[in-house]
CSV table of all heavy atoms in Angstrom, one decimal:
chain,number,residue,atom,x,y,z
A,50,ALA,N,0.6,-49.9,51.8
A,50,ALA,CA,0.4,-50.7,50.6
A,50,ALA,C,0.8,-50.0,49.4
A,50,ALA,O,1.5,-50.5,48.5
A,50,ALA,CB,-1.0,-51.2,50.6
A,51,LEU,N,0.5,-48.7,49.3
A,51,LEU,CA,0.9,-47.9,48.1
A,51,LEU,C,2.4,-47.8,48.0
A,51,LEU,O,2.9,-47.8,46.9
A,51,LEU,CB,0.2,-46.5,48.2
A,51,LEU,CG,-1.3,-46.5,48.0
A,51,LEU,CD1,-1.9,-45.1,48.5
A,51,LEU,CD2,-1.6,-46.6,46.5
A,52,ARG,N,3.1,-47.6,49.1
A,52,ARG,CA,4.5,-47.5,49.1
A,52,ARG,C,5.1,-48.9,48.6
A,52,ARG,O,6.1,-48.9,47.9
A,52,ARG,CB,5.1,-47.1,50.4
A,52,ARG,CG,4.7,-45.7,50.9
A,52,ARG,CD,5.8,-44.9,51.5
A,52,ARG,NE,5.4,-43.6,52.0
A,52,ARG,CZ,5.2,-42.5,51.3
A,52,ARG,NH1,5.5,-42.6,50.0
A,52,ARG,NH2,4.8,-41.4,51.9
A,53,ARG,N,4.6,-50.0,49.1
A,53,ARG,CA,5.0,-51.3,48.6
A,53,ARG,C,4.8,-51.5,47.2
A,53,ARG,O,5.6,-51.9,46.4
A,53,ARG,CB,4.4,-52.4,49.5
A,53,ARG,CG,4.6,-53.8,48.9
A,53,ARG,CD,6.1,-54.1,48.9
A,53,ARG,NE,6.3,-55.4,48.2
A,53,ARG,CZ,6.5,-55.5,46.9
A,53,ARG,NH1,6.6,-54.5,46.1
A,53,ARG,NH2,6.8,-56.7,46.4
A,54,GLU,N,3.6,-51.1,46.7
A,54,GLU,CA,3.3,-51.2,45.3
A,54,GLU,C,4.2,-50.4,44.4
A,54,GLU,O,4.4,-50.7,43.2
A,54,GLU,CB,1.8,-50.9,45.1
A,54,GLU,CG,0.8,-51.8,45.7
A,54,GLU,CD,-0.6,-51.3,45.9
A,54,GLU,OE1,-0.8,-50.1,45.5
A,54,GLU,OE2,-1.4,-52.0,46.4
A,55,ALA,N,4.6,-49.2,44.9
A,55,ALA,CA,5.4,-48.3,44.1
A,55,ALA,C,6.8,-49.0,43.7
A,55,ALA,O,7.4,-48.5,42.8
A,55,ALA,CB,5.7,-47.0,44.9
A,56,ARG,N,7.2,-50.0,44.4
A,56,ARG,CA,8.4,-50.8,44.0
A,56,ARG,C,8.2,-51.7,42.8
A,56,ARG,O,9.1,-52.2,42.3
A,56,ARG,CB,8.9,-51.6,45.2
A,56,ARG,CG,9.8,-50.8,46.2
A,56,ARG,CD,11.3,-51.0,45.8
A,56,ARG,NE,12.1,-50.1,46.5
A,56,ARG,CZ,12.7,-50.3,47.7
A,56,ARG,NH1,12.4,-51.4,48.3
A,56,ARG,NH2,13.5,-49.4,48.2
A,57,ALA,N,6.9,-52.0,42.5
A,57,ALA,CA,6.7,-53.0,41.4
A,57,ALA,C,6.7,-52.3,40.1
A,57,ALA,O,6.5,-51.1,39.9
A,57,ALA,CB,5.3,-53.6,41.7
A,58,PRO,N,7.0,-53.1,39.0
A,58,PRO,CA,7.1,-52.5,37.7
A,58,PRO,C,5.7,-51.9,37.3
A,58,PRO,O,4.7,-52.5,37.5
A,58,PRO,CB,7.4,-53.8,36.8
A,58,PRO,CG,8.1,-54.7,37.7
A,58,PRO,CD,7.5,-54.5,39.1
A,59,GLY,N,5.8,-50.7,36.7
A,59,GLY,CA,4.6,-50.0,36.2
A,59,GLY,C,3.8,-49.3,37.2
A,59,GLY,O,2.8,-48.7,36.9
A,60,LEU,N,4.3,-49.3,38.5
A,60,LEU,CA,3.5,-48.7,39.6
A,60,LEU,C,4.3,-47.6,40.3
A,60,LEU,O,3.9,-47.3,41.5
A,60,LEU,CB,3.1,-49.8,40.6
A,60,LEU,CG,2.1,-50.8,40.0
A,60,LEU,CD1,1.8,-51.9,41.0
A,60,LEU,CD2,0.7,-50.2,39.6
A,61,ALA,N,5.3,-47.0,39.7
A,61,ALA,CA,6.1,-46.0,40.4
A,61,ALA,C,5.2,-44.8,40.9
A,61,ALA,O,5.5,-44.3,42.0
A,61,ALA,CB,7.1,-45.5,39.5
A,62,GLY,N,4.1,-44.5,40.2
A,62,GLY,CA,3.3,-43.4,40.7
A,62,GLY,C,2.5,-43.6,41.9
A,62,GLY,O,2.0,-42.7,42.5
A,63,ARG,N,2.5,-44.9,42.4
A,63,ARG,CA,1.8,-45.1,43.7
A,63,ARG,C,2.5,-44.4,44.9
A,63,ARG,O,1.8,-44.1,45.9
A,63,ARG,CB,1.7,-46.6,44.0
A,63,ARG,CG,1.2,-47.5,42.8
A,63,ARG,CD,-0.2,-47.3,42.5
A,63,ARG,NE,-1.1,-48.1,43.4
A,63,ARG,CZ,-2.4,-48.2,43.2
A,63,ARG,NH1,-3.0,-47.5,42.2
A,63,ARG,NH2,-3.1,-48.9,44.0
A,64,GLY,N,3.7,-44.1,44.8
A,64,GLY,CA,4.4,-43.4,45.9
A,64,GLY,C,3.9,-42.0,46.0
A,64,GLY,O,3.8,-41.5,47.2
A,65,VAL,N,3.5,-41.3,44.9
A,65,VAL,CA,2.9,-40.0,45.0
A,65,VAL,C,1.6,-40.1,45.7
A,65,VAL,O,1.2,-39.2,46.4
A,65,VAL,CB,2.8,-39.4,43.6
A,65,VAL,CG1,2.3,-38.0,43.6
A,65,VAL,CG2,4.2,-39.4,42.9
A,66,LEU,N,0.8,-41.1,45.4
A,66,LEU,CA,-0.5,-41.3,46.0
A,66,LEU,C,-0.3,-41.5,47.5
A,66,LEU,O,-1.1,-40.9,48.3
A,66,LEU,CB,-1.2,-42.5,45.4
A,66,LEU,CG,-1.6,-42.5,43.9
A,66,LEU,CD1,-2.2,-43.8,43.5
A,66,LEU,CD2,-2.5,-41.3,43.6
A,67,ALA,N,0.7,-42.2,47.9
A,67,ALA,CA,1.0,-42.5,49.3
A,67,ALA,C,1.3,-41.1,50.0
A,67,ALA,O,0.9,-40.9,51.2
A,67,ALA,CB,2.1,-43.5,49.5
A,68,ASP,N,2.1,-40.3,49.4
A,68,ASP,CA,2.4,-39.0,50.0
A,68,ASP,C,1.1,-38.2,50.3
A,68,ASP,O,1.0,-37.5,51.3
A,68,ASP,CB,3.3,-38.2,49.0
A,68,ASP,CG,4.7,-38.7,48.9
A,68,ASP,OD1,5.1,-39.5,49.8
A,68,ASP,OD2,5.4,-38.3,48.0
A,69,GLN,N,0.1,-38.3,49.3
A,69,GLN,CA,-1.1,-37.5,49.5
A,69,GLN,C,-2.0,-38.1,50.6
A,69,GLN,O,-2.7,-37.4,51.3
A,69,GLN,CB,-1.9,-37.5,48.2
A,69,GLN,CG,-1.1,-36.8,47.1
A,69,GLN,CD,-0.6,-35.4,47.5
A,69,GLN,OE1,-1.4,-34.6,47.9
A,69,GLN,NE2,0.7,-35.2,47.3
A,70,VAL,N,-1.9,-39.4,50.8
A,70,VAL,CA,-2.6,-40.1,51.9
A,70,VAL,C,-2.1,-39.5,53.2
A,70,VAL,O,-2.8,-39.2,54.1
A,70,VAL,CB,-2.5,-41.6,51.8
A,70,VAL,CG1,-3.1,-42.2,53.1
A,70,VAL,CG2,-3.2,-42.1,50.6
A,71,LEU,N,-0.7,-39.5,53.3
A,71,LEU,CA,-0.1,-39.0,54.5
A,71,LEU,C,-0.5,-37.5,54.8
A,71,LEU,O,-0.8,-37.1,55.9
A,71,LEU,CB,1.4,-39.1,54.3
A,71,LEU,CG,2.3,-38.5,55.4
A,71,LEU,CD1,2.0,-39.1,56.8
A,71,LEU,CD2,3.8,-38.6,55.1
A,72,LEU,N,-0.3,-36.7,53.7
A,72,LEU,CA,-0.5,-35.2,54.0
A,72,LEU,C,-2.0,-34.8,54.1
A,72,LEU,O,-2.2,-33.8,54.8
A,72,LEU,CB,0.1,-34.5,52.8
A,72,LEU,CG,1.7,-34.6,52.7
A,72,LEU,CD1,2.2,-34.0,51.4
A,72,LEU,CD2,2.4,-34.0,53.9
A,73,HIS,N,-2.9,-35.5,53.5
A,73,HIS,CA,-4.3,-35.1,53.4
A,73,HIS,C,-5.2,-36.0,54.2
A,73,HIS,O,-6.4,-35.5,54.5
A,73,HIS,CB,-4.8,-35.0,52.0
A,73,HIS,CG,-4.1,-33.9,51.2
A,73,HIS,ND1,-4.5,-32.6,51.3
A,73,HIS,CD2,-3.0,-33.9,50.4
A,73,HIS,CE1,-3.8,-31.8,50.5
A,73,HIS,NE2,-2.8,-32.6,50.0
A,74,ARG,N,-4.8,-37.2,54.6
A,74,ARG,CA,-5.7,-38.0,55.3
A,74,ARG,C,-5.2,-38.5,56.7
A,74,ARG,O,-6.0,-39.1,57.5
A,74,ARG,CB,-6.1,-39.2,54.4
A,74,ARG,CG,-6.6,-38.8,53.1
A,74,ARG,CD,-7.5,-39.8,52.4
A,74,ARG,NE,-8.9,-39.7,53.0
A,74,ARG,CZ,-9.9,-40.5,52.6
A,74,ARG,NH1,-9.7,-41.5,51.7
A,74,ARG,NH2,-11.1,-40.4,53.1
A,75,LEU,N,-3.9,-38.3,56.9
A,75,LEU,CA,-3.3,-38.8,58.2
A,75,LEU,C,-2.7,-37.6,59.0
A,75,LEU,O,-2.3,-37.8,60.1
A,75,LEU,CB,-2.3,-39.8,58.0
A,75,LEU,CG,-2.8,-41.3,57.9
A,75,LEU,CD1,-1.6,-42.2,57.5
A,75,LEU,CD2,-3.3,-41.8,59.2
A,76,THR,N,-2.6,-36.5,58.4
A,76,THR,CA,-1.9,-35.3,59.1
A,76,THR,C,-2.9,-34.2,59.3
A,76,THR,O,-3.6,-33.8,58.4
A,76,THR,CB,-0.8,-34.8,58.2
A,76,THR,OG1,0.1,-35.9,57.9
A,76,THR,CG2,0.0,-33.7,58.9
A,77,PRO,N,-3.0,-33.7,60.5
A,77,PRO,CA,-3.9,-32.5,60.7
A,77,PRO,C,-3.5,-31.3,59.9
A,77,PRO,O,-2.4,-31.0,59.7
A,77,PRO,CB,-3.8,-32.3,62.2
A,77,PRO,CG,-2.4,-32.8,62.6
A,77,PRO,CD,-2.2,-34.0,61.7
A,78,ARG,N,-4.6,-30.6,59.5
A,78,ARG,CA,-4.3,-29.4,58.6
A,78,ARG,C,-5.2,-28.3,59.1
A,78,ARG,O,-6.4,-28.5,59.5
A,78,ARG,CB,-4.7,-29.7,57.2
A,78,ARG,CG,-3.8,-30.7,56.5
A,78,ARG,CD,-4.3,-31.2,55.2
A,78,ARG,NE,-4.5,-30.1,54.2
A,78,ARG,CZ,-3.5,-29.7,53.4
A,78,ARG,NH1,-2.3,-30.3,53.4
A,78,ARG,NH2,-3.8,-28.8,52.5
A,79,ASP,N,-4.7,-27.1,59.1
A,79,ASP,CA,-5.4,-25.9,59.5
A,79,ASP,C,-6.3,-25.5,58.3
A,79,ASP,O,-5.7,-25.1,57.2
A,79,ASP,CB,-4.5,-24.8,59.9
A,79,ASP,CG,-5.2,-23.5,60.3
A,79,ASP,OD1,-6.4,-23.4,60.1
A,79,ASP,OD2,-4.5,-22.6,60.7
A,80,PRO,N,-7.6,-25.5,58.4
A,80,PRO,CA,-8.4,-25.2,57.2
A,80,PRO,C,-8.3,-23.8,56.8
A,80,PRO,O,-8.7,-23.5,55.6
A,80,PRO,CB,-9.9,-25.6,57.7
A,80,PRO,CG,-9.8,-25.4,59.2
A,80,PRO,CD,-8.4,-25.9,59.6
A,81,CYS,N,-7.8,-22.9,57.6
A,81,CYS,CA,-7.7,-21.5,57.2
A,81,CYS,C,-6.2,-21.1,56.8
A,81,CYS,O,-6.0,-20.0,56.4
A,81,CYS,CB,-8.1,-20.6,58.3
A,81,CYS,SG,-9.9,-20.8,58.8
A,82,ALA,N,-5.3,-22.1,56.9
A,82,ALA,CA,-3.9,-21.8,56.5
A,82,ALA,C,-3.8,-21.7,55.0
A,82,ALA,O,-4.6,-22.4,54.3
A,82,ALA,CB,-3.0,-22.8,57.1
A,83,ILE,N,-2.9,-20.9,54.5
A,83,ILE,CA,-2.6,-20.9,53.1
A,83,ILE,C,-1.6,-21.9,52.7
A,83,ILE,O,-0.4,-21.8,53.1
A,83,ILE,CB,-2.1,-19.5,52.6
A,83,ILE,CG1,-3.2,-18.4,53.0
A,83,ILE,CG2,-1.8,-19.5,51.2
A,83,ILE,CD1,-2.7,-17.0,52.7
A,84,PRO,N,-2.0,-23.0,52.0
A,84,PRO,CA,-1.0,-24.1,51.8
A,84,PRO,C,-0.1,-23.8,50.7
A,84,PRO,O,-0.3,-22.8,49.9
A,84,PRO,CB,-2.0,-25.3,51.4
A,84,PRO,CG,-3.1,-24.6,50.8
A,84,PRO,CD,-3.3,-23.3,51.5
A,85,ALA,N,0.9,-24.6,50.6
A,85,ALA,CA,1.9,-24.5,49.5
A,85,ALA,C,1.2,-24.9,48.2
A,85,ALA,O,0.1,-25.6,48.2
A,85,ALA,CB,3.1,-25.4,49.7
A,86,ASP,N,1.7,-24.4,47.1
A,86,ASP,CA,1.1,-24.8,45.8
A,86,ASP,C,1.3,-26.3,45.5
A,86,ASP,O,2.5,-26.7,45.5
A,86,ASP,CB,1.8,-24.0,44.7
A,86,ASP,CG,1.2,-24.1,43.3
A,86,ASP,OD1,0.3,-25.0,43.2
A,86,ASP,OD2,1.6,-23.4,42.4
A,87,GLU,N,0.3,-27.0,45.4
A,87,GLU,CA,0.3,-28.4,45.2
A,87,GLU,C,0.0,-28.9,43.8
A,87,GLU,O,-0.2,-30.1,43.5
A,87,GLU,CB,-0.6,-29.1,46.2
A,87,GLU,CG,-0.3,-29.0,47.6
A,87,GLU,CD,-1.2,-29.8,48.6
A,87,GLU,OE1,-2.4,-29.7,48.4
A,87,GLU,OE2,-0.7,-30.4,49.4
A,88,ASP,N,0.0,-27.9,42.9
A,88,ASP,CA,-0.3,-28.3,41.5
A,88,ASP,C,0.7,-29.3,40.9
A,88,ASP,O,0.4,-30.1,40.1
A,88,ASP,CB,-0.5,-27.1,40.6
A,88,ASP,CG,-1.1,-27.4,39.3
A,88,ASP,OD1,-2.1,-28.1,39.2
A,88,ASP,OD2,-0.5,-27.0,38.2
A,89,ALA,N,2.0,-29.1,41.3
A,89,ALA,CA,3.0,-30.0,40.8
A,89,ALA,C,2.7,-31.5,41.2
A,89,ALA,O,2.8,-32.4,40.4
A,89,ALA,CB,4.4,-29.6,41.3
A,90,ALA,N,2.2,-31.7,42.5
A,90,ALA,CA,1.9,-33.0,42.9
A,90,ALA,C,0.7,-33.5,42.2
A,90,ALA,O,0.6,-34.7,41.8
A,90,ALA,CB,1.6,-33.0,44.4
A,91,CYS,N,-0.3,-32.7,41.9
A,91,CYS,CA,-1.5,-33.1,41.2
A,91,CYS,C,-1.1,-33.5,39.7
A,91,CYS,O,-1.6,-34.5,39.2
A,91,CYS,CB,-2.5,-31.9,41.1
A,91,CYS,SG,-3.3,-31.5,42.8
A,92,ARG,N,-0.2,-32.7,39.1
A,92,ARG,CA,0.2,-33.0,37.8
A,92,ARG,C,0.9,-34.4,37.8
A,92,ARG,O,0.7,-35.2,36.9
A,92,ARG,CB,1.2,-32.0,37.3
A,92,ARG,CG,0.5,-30.7,36.8
A,92,ARG,CD,1.6,-29.7,36.4
A,92,ARG,NE,1.1,-28.4,36.0
A,92,ARG,CZ,0.7,-28.1,34.8
A,92,ARG,NH1,0.8,-29.0,33.8
A,92,ARG,NH2,0.2,-26.9,34.5
A,93,ALA,N,1.7,-34.6,38.8
A,93,ALA,CA,2.5,-35.9,38.9
A,93,ALA,C,1.5,-37.1,39.1
A,93,ALA,O,1.7,-38.1,38.4
A,93,ALA,CB,3.4,-35.9,40.1
A,94,MET,N,0.5,-36.9,39.9
A,94,MET,CA,-0.5,-38.0,40.1
A,94,MET,C,-1.3,-38.3,38.8
A,94,MET,O,-1.4,-39.4,38.4
A,94,MET,CB,-1.5,-37.6,41.2
A,94,MET,CG,-0.9,-37.9,42.6
A,94,MET,SD,-2.2,-37.6,43.9
A,94,MET,CE,-2.1,-35.8,44.0
């Protein structure tokens, strides 16, 4: 839904939210791994 909404006027930022759903809520993560710097994504959101 977020990816579909990102196509609508004024909602381009919804695509960044969709990326975070994928990476943080649908993809397994090692809790002890050192992740990449995500501050750029946070700034964008």
Side-chain angles (χ1 to χ4, degrees):
L51 287 163
R52 295 221 185 278
R53 170 60 188 89
E54 292 161 0
R56 273 267 170 89
L60 294 173
R63 309 290 277 186
V65 183
L66 298 178
D68 290 345
Q69 299 309 303
V70 173
L71 173 62
L72 295 173
H73 291 276
R74 309 207 78 180
L75 273 171
T76 304
R78 295 166 61 86
D79 181 350
C81 297
I83 300 175
D86 187 351
E87 294 184 312
D88 191 50
C91 293
R92 286 177 181 272
M94 278 185 282

